[in-house]
Amino acid sequence: MCKDSMHEFLQALPKCEHHMHIEGSLEPELLFALAARNKISLPSPSEDPAFESISTLLARYRRFTSLDDFLHYYFIGMSVLITPSDFESLAYAYFKRAHADGVAHAEVFFDPQAHTARGIAYETVISGFTAAQKRALHDFKITSELIVCILRHLPASEGEEMYRQCIPDMETGVIKGLGLSSTEKGNPPSLFKASFLDAEKRGFHRTAHAGEEAGVEYMAEALHEIHVQRADHGIKLVEDESVMQEFVDKKIMVTMCPLSNVELRCVKHVRELPIRKYLDAGVRFSINSDDPAYFGGYILDNYCAVQDAFDLSKKEWETIVRNSIEGSWCSQQRKTEMIALLEDVMRKST
Ligand code: HPA
Ligand code: ZN
């Protein structure tokens, strides 16, 4: 809970989450339970003392030194997911937790390449996630979408092959968009042009991690070379006024993840993030959790951290949440419902 008296208001806001890797919501408790059930051998404590227990693993998570240091644990963690029911349990646990934080709509990333490389069928992954989505809609009234990510540390040709496999599900809307994640520096967006421009031609939504560890030039490239409609993290716009203005003019949404940026040492403190600058310049952004099981907080913890750092007004939060709703990849009808929820919260809070 934040230190602020606004906590109740922040909790009540109808949030849209746009930047959450579903595999990054794998809590250590479920990780160890699935490893035991599926007989997956994790690194032994002599190889890596972090795997001694839930508490040592959580303690190690608090000492990430970089994106790659985190990704090492992220990919080991997801290796315990084997059956459709494992994927369903993972996603349902996230939706339940997100509901408690006041999430109305969630667009979640997933990484098929990390599963098919271990011999898990693409269909296993999709069937587990879609089952959880249906239950979450029924149980919590949370609407959700899937965004498939190309892993940029792997050859672009492999990402393209995975994207091609997803096209039928993208055509039916089972998958709502294409994303780009994993090691940013040295893997610029332009390497993935073929997949992204094909996705644009077919009318699929597109986003890419850009401006997390790398600079604003990756954000400009994501916009100009692979024609994204969002940039994930995107904390580097202040490095170039003209790129920032382009993001404002083209209404390109930035999906920020404050606690992730601190945990992965992109900034020392949430105060250093350009939240105030983006609000003043009219850059649209949402606030998200990225990999909540690894970064010590879900979406409301991220809202609270921003409030503690920037002391925003209710009016400013209304703008953030309105932009999050409008920048979502859901139907106009769902947006209208969420705007009504937002207006109700605003009315009750004055
Ligand atoms: N950045 C890049 N790739 C990722 C991240 C991230 O924060 N989380 C999971 N994959
Ligand atoms: Zn991310």
Side-chain angles (χ1 to χ4, degrees), residues 65-124:
T65 54
S66 65
L67 173 57
D68 272 356
D69 185 35
F70 150 69
L71 288 170
H72 170 77
Y73 286 94
Y74 171 76
F75 288 121
I76 292 174
M78 70 175 80
S79 71
V80 303
L81 301 164
I82 306 292
T83 66
S85 133
D86 297 342
F87 289 94
E88 181 178 346
S89 302
L90 170 74
Y92 188 79
Y94 160 71
F95 288 127
K96 189 172 178 190
R97 185 65 184 72
H99 174 62
D101 276 5
V103 170
H105 175 74
E107 298 179 358
V108 305
F109 294 131
F110 72 114
D111 294 338
Q113 286 168 283
H115 307 303
T116 54
R118 303 181 287 114
I120 309 299
Y122 165 79
E123 292 74 17
T124 298

Side-chain angles (χ1 to χ4, degrees), residues 214-265:
V216 69
E217 63 282 4
Y218 276 49
M219 296 187 70
E221 198 175 304
L223 192 53
H224 300 146
E225 301 279 328
I226 65 169
H227 303 172
V228 294
Q229 297 152 308
R230 286 187 196 156
D232 302 310
H233 289 296
I235 61 173
K236 303 295 174 65
L237 283 178
V238 284
E239 290 175 2
D240 188 323
E241 278 286 326
S242 69
V243 180
M244 180 146 91
Q245 197 51 50
E246 214 182 333
F247 268 66
V248 173
D249 295 342
K250 294 184 174 159
K251 299 191 170 81
I252 304 292
M253 170 121 172
V254 171
T255 67
M256 300 179 86
C257 307
L259 293 178
S260 164
N261 297 147
V262 174
E263 293 291 311
L264 299 189
R265 319 295 160 207

Side-chain angles (χ1 to χ4, degrees), residues 6 39 73 116 166 180 192 247 260 270:
M6 298 254 284
K39 302 188 171 46
Y73 286 94
T116 54
C166 293
L180 181 65
F192 304 90
F247 268 66
S260 164
V270 173

Side-chain angles (χ1 to χ4, degrees), residues 244-308:
M244 180 146 91
Q245 197 51 50
E246 214 182 333
F247 268 66
V248 173
D249 295 342
K250 294 184 174 159
K251 299 191 170 81
I252 304 292
M253 170 121 172
V254 171
T255 67
M256 300 179 86
C257 307
L259 293 178
S260 164
N261 297 147
V262 174
E263 293 291 311
L264 299 189
R265 319 295 160 207
C266 299
V267 291
K268 281 206 183 65
H269 194 278
V270 173
R271 277 190 303 273
E272 292 167 32
L273 289 168
I275 299 270
R276 170 69 57 203
K277 287 181 185 130
Y278 284 6
L279 276 172
D280 291 347
V283 176
R284 290 162 188 246
F285 62 89
S286 57
I287 292 169
N288 309 273
S289 65
D290 205 4
D291 299 281
Y294 290 85
F295 301 147
Y298 284 75
I299 193 169
L300 182 56
D301 300 302
N302 279 272
Y303 273 57
C304 290
V306 168
Q307 181 59 18
D308 283 343

Side-chain angles (χ1 to χ4, degrees), residues 59-229:
R60 178 64 180 85
Y61 290 174
R62 297 286 69 75
R63 294 195 302 272
F64 290 133
T65 54
S66 65
L67 173 57
D68 272 356
D69 185 35
F70 150 69
L71 288 170
H72 170 77
Y73 286 94
Y74 171 76
F75 288 121
I76 292 174
M78 70 175 80
S79 71
V80 303
L81 301 164
I82 306 292
T83 66
S85 133
D86 297 342
F87 289 94
E88 181 178 346
S89 302
L90 170 74
Y92 188 79
Y94 160 71
F95 288 127
K96 189 172 178 190
R97 185 65 184 72
H99 174 62
D101 276 5
V103 170
H105 175 74
E107 298 179 358
V108 305
F109 294 131
F110 72 114
D111 294 338
Q113 286 168 283
H115 307 303
T116 54
R118 303 181 287 114
I120 309 299
Y122 165 79
E123 292 74 17
T124 298
V125 180
I126 291 285
S127 72
F129 288 155
T130 51
Q133 287 179 281
K134 278 198 199 90
R135 284 172 62 205
L137 180 61
H138 177 268
D139 296 352
F140 312 125
K141 296 192 171 56
I142 289 191
T143 49
S144 62
E145 304 290 355
L146 297 174
I147 303 174
V148 63
C149 280
I150 289 179
L151 293 176
R152 68 206 298 171
H153 68 279
L154 298 174
S157 57
E158 291 179 16
E160 166 101 22
E161 199 182 312
M162 184 281 296
Y163 159 68
R164 298 255 161 221
Q165 188 179 7
C166 293
I167 289 175
D169 280 337
M170 298 185 80
E171 272 164 353
T172 59
V174 167
I175 298 174
K176 198 67 179 200
L178 178 64
L180 181 65
S181 66
S182 188
T183 309
E184 185 182 17
K185 280 186 177 168
N187 300 305
S190 55
L191 293 176
F192 304 90
K193 207 167 173 168
S195 304
F196 276 80
L197 295 189
D198 184 83
E200 180 183 33
K201 201 175 66 197
R202 292 173 194 267
F204 302 151
H205 290 295
R206 302 158 318 276
T207 187
H209 283 56
E212 179 183 15
E213 281 190 338
V216 69
E217 63 282 4
Y218 276 49
M219 296 187 70
E221 198 175 304
L223 192 53
H224 300 146
E225 301 279 328
I226 65 169
H227 303 172
V228 294
Q229 297 152 308

